[in-house]
Amino acid sequence: MDYNVNERGYYDEFGGAFVPEMMYPNIEELRENYLKILNDQSFKDEFSLLLRDYVGRPSPLYYARRLSEFYNTRIYLKREDLNHTGAHKINNTVGQILIAKRLGKRRIIAETGAGQHGVATATVCALMGLKCIVFMGKVDVERQKPNVLRMKMLGADVVPVTKGNMTLKDATNEAFRYWINNPVDTHYIVGSVVGPHPYPDLVARLQSVISEEMKWQLEEHTGRPDPDFIIACVGGGSNAAGSFYHYLDNEKVKLIAVEAAGKGIDSGESAATIALGYPGIIHGSKTILMQNDDGQITEPYSISAGLDYPGIGPLHAWLDKSKRASYENATDTETLEAAFQLTRLEGIIPALESAHALAVLGKHKFKKDDVVVVTISGRGDKDMVSYIKYMEEKNF
Ligand SMILES: *Cc1c(COP(=O)(O)O)cnc(C)c1O
């Protein structure tokens, strides 16, 4: 089975580049250059130096002793929460800004929902002294004040989008529109393994540093580079793609991706795309998405803003269809319980997104000497309001 993107930008039937004709030249410029740049030695040197000294990589692979005892298996945590800015997203934005510079771009645009990708983008723009414009639905601007202020502090312009539902999908449309009108000097930093080809492949390659490190770190810890299981949460799917990347062709490693079931799969309030969605086109690529009978994209819901996305990257649509990875889900409540369990057993407060991955540990029967890697995609500081609310409800 082939899990790589083909030359036309497809993972089997999923992917492609469904963009307005006016945007084609921008996408084409990136498609023609991205592999050349990624393979260029000066790019590789600059990228690894920044990953080391700015992001703080390698991120540790931590043997979680008390969590392992609880589940009676061997659990390792890949600590993306310890990266600069608190999550895996910075791996991608650092890589893309280096590409933008090599393409001679002076301005960066991005769209953001929860604001996490906007902050990671504004951060690298400050680092490189490039102008940064972040499109964000007006509803999200109001919901995500701290991240909006962070972006502004970093020097970005945050543009509130007042069309449609005023959320992520509308912000994306606005970013596309801006790019069409400013093709020459602007690069569009997409934040996950979504969007038109080559973005899903580009972002997966930039995030693949996660599984690249996992290999030698597991070798050090356990004497072999391959775990038995890798578990990661999925919104668009970039931390999962990066965690799976170097193991895709090794079918002995079982891959588990966890979507947000929100208030329950059948509640009408969830973001479990693989569980509930059908093939369609979103953000310029053919994939699985949540839609109603008329093909209108349904508004997703999750307690974690980072998983609150109605689609999923085309690689994941294919990993599901080909049965290479299993797509599971966790509700808000299961996620909160898992976050408190990790906090109490290991002294690590995870992001709510990452806690979804932890929430399926109890649904599997692992053997005592299985090696299970869970990617902790981010830290929980940004989620303290939700955690405090839960403690008040439970009288902690
Ligand atoms: C954005 C985000 C996610 C979801 O994005 P993916 O592209 O699916 O990885 C997961 N965890 C954290 C901490 C995030 O900020």
Side-chain angles (χ1 to χ4, degrees):
M1 209 68 94
D2 191 355
Y3 305 109
N4 286 311
V5 79
N6 69 21
E7 245 153 57
R8 295 178 307 118
Y10 281 86
Y11 301 90
D12 198 70
E13 69 185 86
F14 302 108
F18 297 83
V19 297
E21 197 164 309
M22 305 262 288
M23 209 167 105
Y24 193 71
N26 308 21
I27 291 289
E28 194 53 20
E29 183 188 26
L30 189 62
R31 191 186 68 77
E32 276 176 4
N33 289 292
Y34 84 107
L35 289 177
K36 261 184 265 173
I37 296 176
L38 290 181
N39 290 320
D40 177 60
Q41 195 56 46
S42 80
F43 171 87
K44 287 187 189 171
D45 293 346
E46 203 179 348
F47 187 40
S48 11
L49 198 67
L50 281 174
L51 287 182
R52 191 189 74 183
D53 297 345
Y54 188 71
V55 176
R57 303 203 73 91
S59 69
L61 184 74
Y62 164 70
Y63 175 62
R65 187 179 56 79
R66 301 220 310 136
L67 193 68
S68 296
E69 275 166 13
F70 186 89
Y71 287 109
N72 199 26
T73 188
R74 290 193 285 170
I75 301 172
Y76 290 85
L77 306 178
K78 184 59 174 153
R79 301 286 312 273
E80 295 301 302
D81 58 311
L82 295 176
N83 294 342
H84 177 46
T85 68
H88 67 294
K89 286 196 171 71
I90 193 87
N91 303 327
N92 169 49
T93 55
V94 166
Q96 282 200 51
I97 200 127
L98 294 178
I99 292 175
K101 281 210 314 182
R102 279 166 173 73
L103 292 174
K105 308 293 180 183
R106 288 194 318 264
R107 194 179 335 179
I108 298 296
I109 57 168
E111 90 288 336
T112 195
Q116 297 298 111
H117 173 55
V119 169
T121 302
T123 300
V124 295
C125 288
L127 173 70
M128 293 296 169
L130 296 187
K131 178 152 182 60
C132 181
I133 306 172
V134 179
F135 296 92
M136 192 168 184
K138 187 165 165 282
V139 170
D140 290 332
V141 170
E142 282 155 14
R143 279 199 288 219
Q144 309 290 344
K145 264 254 168 65
N147 276 341
V148 173
L149 295 173
R150 249 174 229 134
M151 287 184 263
K152 289 189 174 164
M153 181 168 175
L154 288 158
D157 286 342
V158 180
V159 180
V161 175
T162 53
K163 299 201 173 83
N165 287 343
M166 305 189 216
T167 57
L168 183 61
K169 177 163 61 71
D170 314 292
T172 306
N173 291 340
E174 215 46 38
F176 275 24
R177 200 164 299 140
Y178 184 94
W179 206 20
I180 289 170
N181 292 324
N182 300 272
V184 180
D185 62 352
T186 303
H187 174 71
Y188 180 13
I189 298 191
V190 171
S192 189
V193 287
V194 301
H197 179 64
Y199 281 108
D201 186 45
L202 169 60
V203 177
R205 285 170 188 262
L206 294 172
Q207 291 290 2
S208 71
V209 64
I210 299 173
S211 49
E212 194 182 309
E213 290 171 1
M214 241 183 230
K215 282 197 148 180
W216 61 261
Q217 291 172 321
L218 279 170
E219 178 89 52
E220 270 182 18
H221 277 284
T222 70
R224 59 186 178 102
D226 307 331
D228 297 290
F229 295 86
I230 302 174
I231 309 177
C233 65
V234 258
S238 69
N239 87 87
S243 303
F244 297 169
Y245 195 86
H246 290 286
Y247 295 104
L248 285 171
D249 291 327
N250 182 349
E251 312 248 349
K252 271 183 273 172
V253 180
K254 295 180 198 70
L255 308 175
I256 298 171
V258 187
E259 301 188 304
K263 297 186 178 165
I265 287 292
D266 301 320
S267 67
E269 289 184 80
S270 89
T273 306
I274 291 287
L276 296 170
Y278 300 95
I281 290 170
I282 184 171
H283 298 173
S285 91
K286 186 183 170 209
T287 184
I288 303 294
L289 55 130
M290 288 167 46
Q291 49 193 318
N292 66 19
D293 293 342
D294 301 328
Q296 292 294 318
I297 294 166
T298 44
E299 201 62 34
Y301 162 81
S302 163
I303 191 173
S304 66
L307 302 185
D308 198 349
Y309 180 70
I312 189 164
L315 165 65
H316 291 288
W318 173 231
L319 293 180
D320 173 59
K321 186 156 186 216
S322 63
K323 304 265 189 303
R324 174 65 189 95
S326 96
Y327 288 76
E328 307 181 359
N329 50 71
T331 63
D332 290 355
T333 309
E334 291 166 338
T335 297
L336 285 162
E337 284 165 4
F340 276 82
Q341 181 185 51
L342 184 73
T343 304
R344 295 289 168 93
L345 287 179
E346 299 288 347
I348 297 170
I349 301 180
L352 273 167
E353 289 83 359
S354 322
H356 284 76
L358 295 161
V360 303
L361 283 170
K363 302 181 185 179
H364 288 265
K365 195 88 201 81
F366 299 112
K367 294 199 206 84
K368 187 157 178 40
D369 57 357
D370 275 346
V371 171
V372 182
V373 176
V374 184
T375 299
I376 304 299
S377 54
R379 66 178 84 126
D381 308 32
K382 67 181 178 59
D383 297 313
M384 282 316 295
V385 171
S386 306
Y387 289 146
I388 290 164
K389 188 163 163 264
Y390 181 72
M391 286 193 286
E392 283 167 359
E393 280 165 18
K394 297 275 160 186
N395 290 317
F396 268 36

